[in-house]
Amino acid sequence: RIWKSGRLSSAMEQTFIMIKPDGAQRCLVGEIISRFEKKGFSLRGLKLVSVDSAFAEKHYADLSAKPFFNGLVEYIISGPVVAMVWEGKGVVKTGRTIIGATNPADSAPGTIRGDFAVDIGRNVIHGSDSVESARKEIALWFPEGVVEWQSSLRPWIYE
Ligand code: IDP
Ligand code: MG
């Protein structure tokens, strides 16, 4: 056993990732999950859900004053979304890097938005922007909790 639990656990983070309705409609679910899996992050929660406007407004509460807020809520409730929790070292920040800039016009090729999106209002995926936001979003989307397990690949991903 080459993995030492004590050293690693403090660096472990969880983030909330959601494939938005356009991502689900465009059959990008497998591709997106694959990118997080191949990176070496570990899946802790996964479900396909349709949310109502009250729930979407709660998720995006920080943006309620923005002119695009109503359109954003309509977008998120327009079809099922894939809600996920991913775990790993630095997963919040690295998850955002994998996703790319908010506006796909500015997202680098190789990022999810850079590769699969064009318009800011159809940018395919959400990822928590901080450890604190992740904590709140995971509590909102997974009140039932997430799955406790440890991938056997762990010693091949972490030193
Ligand atoms: P993020 O998703 O990259 O964290 P936020 O600023 O948190 O970006 O905005 C949340 C979502 O609101 C974006 O992903 C995008 O779908 C939408 N959004 C942000 N800015 C605009 C805009 O100017 N017009 C339309 N939709 C926007
Ligand atoms: Mg955000």
Side-chain angles (χ1 to χ4, degrees):
R1 196 176 87 97
I2 62 172
W3 174 67
K4 300 175 194 70
S5 62
R7 185 147 63 99
L8 189 67
S9 54
S10 63
M12 273 298 162
E13 285 176 3
Q14 293 184 345
T15 194
F16 174 68
I17 300 291
M18 172 190 39
I19 304 173
K20 294 176 176 179
D22 49 338
Q25 294 284 358
R26 293 177 56 204
C27 302
L28 295 172
V29 173
E31 169 76 34
I32 288 169
I33 290 175
S34 188
R35 288 184 179 211
F36 281 85
E37 274 190 325
K38 287 175 186 166
K39 171 70 177 171
F41 292 137
S42 183
L43 188 62
R44 286 299 183 119
L46 172 70
K47 59 187 177 184
L48 181 73
V49 281
S50 291
V51 298
D52 62 17
S53 52
F55 189 93
E57 284 166 15
K58 213 168 178 183
H59 172 73
Y60 280 123
D62 292 351
L63 300 176
S64 61
K66 300 283 185 189
F68 57 81
F69 183 69
N70 289 342
L72 176 58
V73 169
E74 285 302 312
Y75 166 40
I76 296 305
I77 68 170
S78 65
V81 301
V82 179
M84 295 180 278
V85 176
W86 286 92
E87 186 176 272
K89 190 175 173 181
V91 69
V92 173
K93 186 164 179 282
T94 304
R96 296 276 293 187
T97 304
I98 290 169
I99 287 170
T102 302
N103 189 341
D106 303 324
S107 312
T111 66
I112 291 167
R113 287 168 174 164
D115 288 350
F116 303 122
V118 177
D119 224 359
I120 191 168
R122 296 289 184 272
N123 62 0
V124 170
I125 184 166
H126 164 87
S128 306
D129 63 10
S130 67
V131 172
E132 179 57 17
S133 305
R135 197 190 53 74
K136 283 188 204 157
E137 291 171 1
I138 292 167
L140 176 67
W141 288 82
F142 288 88
E144 71 275 27
V146 297
V147 178
E148 295 301 324
W149 71 295
Q150 202 169 106
S151 165
S152 59
L153 290 184
R154 198 152 166 158
W156 301 108
I157 292 167
Y158 295 99
E159 187 181 356

